[in-house]
Amino acid sequence: MEPISATIGGIVLFVIFVATVISIVRNPNHGFVGKLVWFIVVLLLNLVGSILWLLFGRGKVTR
């Protein structure tokens, strides 16, 4: 893999990670412990953790 493509892939993964963390922090469906658990999952599993958050973590907001 060329260095440029590796760098672009790293930047894309970082942007996805940051967007997921922001989504976790702003989500009203989880308390502190739930948000902490999701943050650890996303931190350890990177892209897979972000996909899991989008599929299962966000939940429906009841207002």
Side-chain angles (χ1 to χ4, degrees):
M1 186 177 264
E2 296 179 28
I4 293 294
S5 62
T7 304
I8 292 172
I11 291 171
V12 168
L13 287 176
F14 179 73
V15 168
I16 291 171
F17 172 77
V18 170
T20 304
V21 169
I22 290 171
S23 177
I24 291 170
V25 169
R26 290 185 174 182
N27 191 298
N29 294 331
H30 300 285
F32 175 76
V33 175
K35 290 179 182 184
L36 182 63
V37 169
W38 273 110
F39 176 75
I40 292 170
V41 168
V42 170
L43 185 65
L44 294 177
L45 298 178
N46 294 330
L47 183 61
V48 175
S50 295
I51 292 170
L52 289 172
W53 167 254
L54 291 173
L55 293 176
F56 303 112
R58 294 184 309 163
K60 286 189 173 184
V61 178
T62 55
R63 292 183 185 202

